[in-house]
Amino acid sequence: MKFMNEDFLLETPVARKLYHDFAENQPIIDYHCHISPKEVYEDRKFDNITQVWLGGDHYKWRMIRTNGVPEEEVTGSASDRIKFQRFAQALPLAIGNPMYHWTHLELKRYFGVDTPLTGDTAEEIWKICNEKLATPELSVRNIIKSSNVKMIGTTDDPADDLAFHKLIAEDQSFGTKVLPSFRPDTVVNIEKPVFPDAVAKLAKVCGFAINNPEDLKKALTQRLDYFCAHGCKASDHGMDAVVYRRGTADQVRTAFEKAMERKPLTVEEIEIFRTEMLLHLGRENAKRGVVMQIHYGVQRNTNTKKFQTIGADTGFDTIAGGGDGIGLARFLDALAQDDALPKTIIYSLDPKDNELIDTIIGSFQGPECPGKIQHGSAWWFSDTKSGMENQLKSLANLSILGNFVGMLTDSRSFLSYTRHEYFRRILCNFLGKLVDNGEYPEDYKMLEKIVSGISYENAKRYFEL
């Protein structure tokens, strides 16, 4: 079979029909990513392929390092051409890694390049890509338009003024919605060193002092309203683990005061404070119809020396393991008891949590919409071919796969929209095998509903777009 031809990953006639007839041309709702709204508004043009491919991409940095490349030629002062060369030399060795597939889909779709990237072909591909990037066709906005992206959900701090979101919304020439997502981690994860400064910054934006947890709740509510006024559809909460530990008002206040004074906190204090804040935000999300996304299971900055020299989000995070199904269920239950459980999407970095999540979400569904509580798509280290297949299999086994809201890029790169294509191909192959095995009828009317739903329609309905 030709390398990555038009039937790539589509193993059967049914799978090929599902993809080409029902999935291939569906629009994209990229409801969670980390791209810059400033670069969208300014319609940035990149000088070379390294800027758009390797800038800020910890997936690629991690892979290059694994090939024995010094940090200077990964994130350091080496030229963009050298960094691209090191990536090109490492990539052919990464057989089976989704990075290999993503990279070549991006080369094919945006640059018309079918030649595999290697150390030997790097110079030719460098020139082709850079010539294309110099044209208006591959400005940020035109990349988004050509990818048929209808909505982008960025990730934004509560203190952000959302200036560029406002400017994009006012620009009638650009049809894609770029909506903020409320990400209050800096003032919820009380154990982090940034907490006191983040609280001070939030107080300045809100125009009143934050002297206690109730002030902080008031400030978060005020900023959530501000985000909603600018189109916010989702909040996002990243944490090492989902815990549920209730405490008294005095215990919450004590934890807050100690953190503001930069004093050490006990595990109990951290968990009590975080639980209190997340319950508050869950209730406020429910009142406003905001989807609550929970990302957990991360062990961050595991390499202390690298963290101290390069910083966070540079490729040194890992799977934490040990998902706490009891804590997650109790958290959802506390909100459900008060009829205050918002639409919620749950992601674990540990693929062993697939069944855990899928059994928990079945306990908290509601009539507000199909699939009110979602198991998020295979995330980060799990968004491999097998990781996606396993997530789909678990969700199909234990829930209603047809209500799934599907893929997102979770990326900092504007070329990552081909990840939706990658996912859709894997989805259609998974469904096609069920039909071929006699496990589901060859009913294309219903199969079209399922495929178009997971590719686009379910997310459109779920986020009320």
Side-chain angles (χ1 to χ4, degrees):
M1 181 180 292
K2 184 180 177 183
F3 171 60
M4 287 183 68
N5 66 10
E6 290 309 301
D7 291 330
F8 170 57
L9 297 178
L10 304 172
E11 300 176 39
T12 70
V14 173
R16 291 190 279 275
K17 178 176 177 61
L18 294 181
Y19 178 73
H20 293 301
D21 289 2
F22 307 140
E24 184 173 16
N25 296 316
Q26 288 289 337
I28 289 173
I29 294 177
D30 197 35
Y31 55 86
H32 175 68
C33 71
H34 298 275
I35 63 169
S36 164
K38 179 177 185 289
E39 291 180 350
V40 176
Y41 174 69
E42 294 177 348
D43 198 18
R44 180 181 176 183
K45 290 175 67 177
F46 298 92
D47 296 329
N48 59 59
I49 184 63
T50 297
Q51 287 183 2
V52 67
W53 246 9
L54 302 180
D57 193 331
H58 54 83
Y59 286 87
K60 292 188 178 75
W61 293 344
R62 190 180 178 100
M63 190 188 76
I64 299 168
R65 287 188 196 108
T66 303
N67 205 36
V69 175
E71 195 63 39
E72 179 185 0
E73 297 178 355
V74 182
T75 62
S77 60
S79 69
D80 285 350
R81 178 65 185 87
I82 288 294
K83 291 175 181 176
F84 180 74
Q85 186 69 30
R86 298 298 175 257
F87 176 60
Q89 290 168 338
L91 187 65
L93 299 172
I95 184 170
N97 190 309
M99 182 70 64
Y100 196 84
H101 298 148
W102 297 343
T103 295
H104 287 96
L105 280 174
E106 291 169 18
L107 285 173
K108 181 187 288 282
R109 298 295 177 238
Y110 296 111
F111 301 100
V113 172
D114 290 310
T115 304
L117 179 61
T118 67
D120 293 336
T121 62
E123 179 63 19
E124 174 193 0
I125 292 174
W126 169 264
K127 290 178 179 177
I128 292 171
C129 291
N130 292 349
E131 287 175 6
K132 195 77 176 282
L133 285 166
T135 69
E137 187 177 345
L138 286 185
S139 71
V140 161
R141 291 193 182 198
N142 284 327
I143 290 170
I144 293 169
K145 288 178 183 177
S146 68
S147 304
N148 199 15
V149 182
K150 298 301 182 184
M151 178 270 200
I152 295 169
T154 60
T155 305
D156 309 280
D157 187 84
D160 196 304
D161 63 6
L162 306 182
F164 291 104
H165 293 88
K166 289 184 279 187
L167 289 169
I168 294 168
E170 293 166 359
D171 186 351
Q172 298 300 311
S173 69
F174 187 59
T176 302
K177 294 180 179 179
V178 181
L179 306 180
S181 297
F182 194 70
R183 180 74 177 248
D185 292 359
T186 55
V187 293
V188 171
N189 294 333
I190 193 173
E191 74 279 14
K192 305 298 183 183
V194 299
F195 179 81
D197 294 334
V199 171
K201 183 179 179 181
L202 185 61
K204 184 176 181 180
V205 169
C206 290
F208 59 82
I210 299 178
N211 295 320
N212 54 58
E214 294 307 310
D215 289 340
L216 180 56
K217 290 179 186 177
K218 177 182 174 183
L220 287 169
T221 301
Q222 176 181 306
R223 295 307 295 171
L224 182 58
D225 282 335
Y226 181 82
F227 271 57
C228 289
H230 291 88
C232 174
K233 296 293 183 179
S235 68
D236 189 57
H237 309 270
M239 59 197 79
D240 300 340
V242 180
V243 298
Y244 183 82
R245 188 191 289 259
R246 300 304 296 270
T248 66
D250 285 343
Q251 288 175 308
V252 177
R253 187 181 307 107
T254 297
F256 176 86
E257 291 171 351
K258 286 177 66 175
M260 293 301 290
E261 295 171 5
R262 302 185 187 274
K263 294 180 179 178
L265 295 160
T266 67
V267 171
E268 181 180 16
E269 288 169 333
I270 293 167
E271 294 181 351
I272 286 173
F273 182 85
R274 184 186 297 150
T275 299
E276 184 70 16
M277 290 300 129
L278 288 175
L279 287 173
H280 171 75
L281 288 165
R283 296 184 188 103
E284 297 305 312
N285 285 333
K287 290 176 185 176
R288 294 159 180 79
V290 172
V291 175
M292 188 173 197
Q293 297 181 96
I294 296 173
H295 289 83
Y296 77 93
V298 186
Q299 188 177 187
R300 295 190 180 275
N301 307 313
T302 56
N303 188 322
T304 302
K305 187 174 181 179
K306 292 293 186 181
F307 173 63
Q308 291 171 345
T309 55
I310 306 173
D313 301 320
T314 53
F316 300 97
D317 302 333
T318 69
I319 295 170
D324 181 6
I326 295 174
L328 177 59
R330 291 178 67 197
F331 173 74
L332 298 176
D333 185 52
L335 292 170
Q337 287 187 56
D338 294 335
D339 294 322
L341 180 61
K343 289 184 284 188
T344 304
I345 307 177
I346 303 164
Y347 313 78
S348 171
L349 197 58
D350 190 340
K352 295 196 298 294
D353 286 355
N354 282 340
E355 285 78 11
L356 180 152
I357 291 173
D358 289 326
T359 56
I360 288 174
I361 66 174
S363 297
F364 295 99
Q365 301 295 353
E368 295 88 341
C369 69
K372 175 184 174 180
I373 312 300
Q374 292 272 330
H375 179 184
S377 61
W379 173 44
W380 198 345
F381 294 119
S382 296
D383 59 2
T384 62
K385 178 174 177 286
S386 59
M388 292 181 192
E389 290 170 342
N390 290 337
Q391 190 266 358
L392 290 170
K393 182 178 179 180
S394 175
L395 189 58
N397 280 339
L398 297 168
S399 188
I400 297 182
L401 181 60
N403 288 335
F404 180 34
V405 293
M407 187 58 174
L408 50 105
T409 63
D410 192 27
S411 175
R412 292 167 174 80
S413 171
F414 289 97
L415 297 181
S416 292
Y417 298 115
T418 54
R419 294 183 191 179
H420 285 262
E421 176 183 341
Y422 192 58
F423 166 79
R424 291 173 182 180
R425 288 176 178 272
I426 290 168
L427 168 70
C428 291
N429 196 58
F430 175 81
L431 297 175
K433 287 181 177 179
L434 294 178
V435 174
D436 287 331
N437 288 342
E439 298 177 61
Y440 195 86
E442 198 168 346
D443 177 353
Y444 286 106
K445 181 177 180 180
M446 183 54 66
L447 288 165
E448 178 181 9
K449 179 182 173 81
I450 292 170
V451 171
S452 63
I454 297 172
S455 298
Y456 173 70
E457 295 292 346
N458 293 347
K460 179 181 178 183
R461 180 193 69 238
Y462 192 74
F463 290 95
E464 301 179 15
L465 297 170

